[in-house]
Amino acid sequence: MKRIFGVLLILQLAACGGGSSSGTVTPPTQTGECSATGQKQFVLNVMNDWYFWNDLLPTNVNIDDYATPEELLAFLTSVQPVDNFSFINSAQADQQFFGEGRFEGYGFSYRELSNTDVRLVRVFEDSPAFRGGLRRGQRFVALNGRPVSDVIGNEGLSALFALSPVEFTMRNTDGTEFTVQISRDIVTIDPVPQFRIIPAPNGRSVGYLELASFISTANSELDAAFSAFQSAGVTDIILDLRYNGGGLVSTADLLGDLLGGAQDGLVFSETRFNDDRAAANNRTEFFERRAASVNLSRLAVIASRGTASASELVINSMDPFSTGGVGVIGDTTFGKPVGQSGFEFCDKILRPTTFETVNSLGQGGYFDGLPLDCAAADDLDIPVGDD
């Protein structure tokens, strides 16, 4: 990564406050045996066949030593310390999230600055939290009548937020406080919360786009945003991925095409599986010019430690094709150069880490995150995208 393209964008980015890559490589694999033993055997078989680091797995595993498939998976992934990504979820929840952009919860994310200072980072519109008056920048004062420090010091915030309803006592940015009871419900993610065109002093227009998640419902919204960019002659783009933890590789590929359509036919990324699966499954993704593709010159990405997976795939893959390299502003990214495939069994889905991605120069392996060009604090008192 090299220097960003000029003082103007650095100032604009500073003013702004500044996954999981997944896919199914084969038809969903079912097991007809849904007993505890059958499910555990299924997990073991898939891991031996598809796990990216399957050469590290122990050869003699007694599945009876583990009560659940989740416990077995935790043991198997312990052979690779960098793998914090493999998981088992319900098939229904998986489809709701990746296919429909829906999940059950309150609809916010937060940041623990200390055990007494916890602030809202993002609140999805039309979520239970938003309808209850929760907004970016507010501080948690108490939860169910308990000081937030007490919750953190005992069961932790994530455990409490698994309950419903919860009574929230919040402090606004002006110091006033309020209390509201909120229940969990289905939250629908708006994957592209905003985009706009920013006039620049040099007569060139800069496109700004916030992408919340790489899910299939983002595809049509990305097309619409880039159609507007193309019509305005935009060649410089600011991509706000600071809270984007990843998602579908197919949506990342689409974004690559929209950004890099001028590179039609050149390599965007390579996907590499373990030695046993490489011959049949390794693939190369090429840029494809689409109707809404722009002739990109310079790309800046607003990032944070929560920018992960498919977000990092796009940054890494676009770097060789952006003038001076992609400029990363904010903070070093999370560090997830690998992705998962989905294997259905019974009413669950197993998503083990099965592949890595590299760019056209063969660069990948960024488990420590993609490097930063310009450090900028995420000011929670400023709305996302404010200029």
Side-chain angles (χ1 to χ4, degrees), residues 276-359:
D276 298 327
R277 295 293 172 179
N281 295 282
N282 280 11
R283 65 180 176 85
T284 300
E285 182 68 25
F286 298 93
F287 286 103
E288 177 185 348
R289 179 177 285 280
R290 298 176 180 267
S293 295
V294 300
N295 294 316
L296 180 73
S297 175
R298 295 170 290 191
L299 176 64
V301 175
I302 305 176
S304 73
R305 293 301 296 179
T307 302
S309 198
S311 291
E312 293 170 301
L313 187 162
V314 170
I315 298 168
N316 188 50
S317 296
M318 290 304 305
D319 193 54
F321 302 101
S322 180
T323 302
V326 176
V328 178
I329 286 68
D331 203 349
T332 303
T333 65
F334 178 79
K336 185 177 183 290
V338 292
Q340 295 97 267
S341 304
F343 302 87
E344 291 186 26
F345 66 110
C346 304
D347 60 349
K348 301 178 181 180
I349 189 162
L350 166 65
R351 286 200 176 273
T353 299
T354 56
F355 61 87
E356 68 169 347
T357 58
V358 298
N359 65 16

Side-chain angles (χ1 to χ4, degrees), residues 106 108 120 129 134 140-145 160-161 163 165-170 178-183:
Y106 289 103
F108 62 74
L120 286 170
L134 273 60
F140 294 96
V141 177
L143 299 164
N144 286 341
L160 188 138
F161 292 146
L163 305 177
V166 167
E167 183 183 84
F168 294 81
T169 300
M170 309 298 297
F178 67 96
T179 298
V180 60
Q181 181 172 282
I182 304 174
S183 297

Side-chain angles (χ1 to χ4, degrees), residues 100-114:
E100 304 169 22
R102 292 158 59 88
F103 66 95
E104 183 180 353
Y106 289 103
F108 62 74
S109 57
Y110 60 90
R111 183 175 300 156
E112 290 187 34
L113 302 175
S114 71

Side-chain angles (χ1 to χ4, degrees), residues 72-109:
L72 174 61
L73 180 65
F75 165 72
L76 295 173
T77 57
S78 67
V79 303
Q80 177 48 272
V82 300
D83 184 18
N84 299 308
F85 317 120
S86 300
F87 66 95
I88 295 173
N89 198 8
S90 79
Q92 180 182 13
D94 190 272
Q95 168 57 30
Q96 282 183 330
F97 183 80
F98 289 112
E100 304 169 22
R102 292 158 59 88
F103 66 95
E104 183 180 353
Y106 289 103
F108 62 74
S109 57

Side-chain angles (χ1 to χ4, degrees), residues 22 81 96 144 152 175-176 216 219 239-241 282 303 318 321 326:
S22 50
Q96 282 183 330
N144 286 341
I152 292 174
T176 60
S216 60
N219 295 0
L239 191 58
D240 196 335
L241 300 175
N282 280 11
M318 290 304 305
F321 302 101
V326 176

Side-chain angles (χ1 to χ4, degrees), residues 47 53 61 87 103 107 116 146 149 152 162 198 210 226-227 269 308 311 320 351 357:
M47 291 291 284
W53 299 283
V61 177
F87 66 95
F103 66 95
T116 58
R146 298 164 55 197
S149 59
I152 292 174
I198 306 170
E210 179 191 359
F226 275 82
S227 290
S269 68
S311 291
R351 286 200 176 273
T357 58

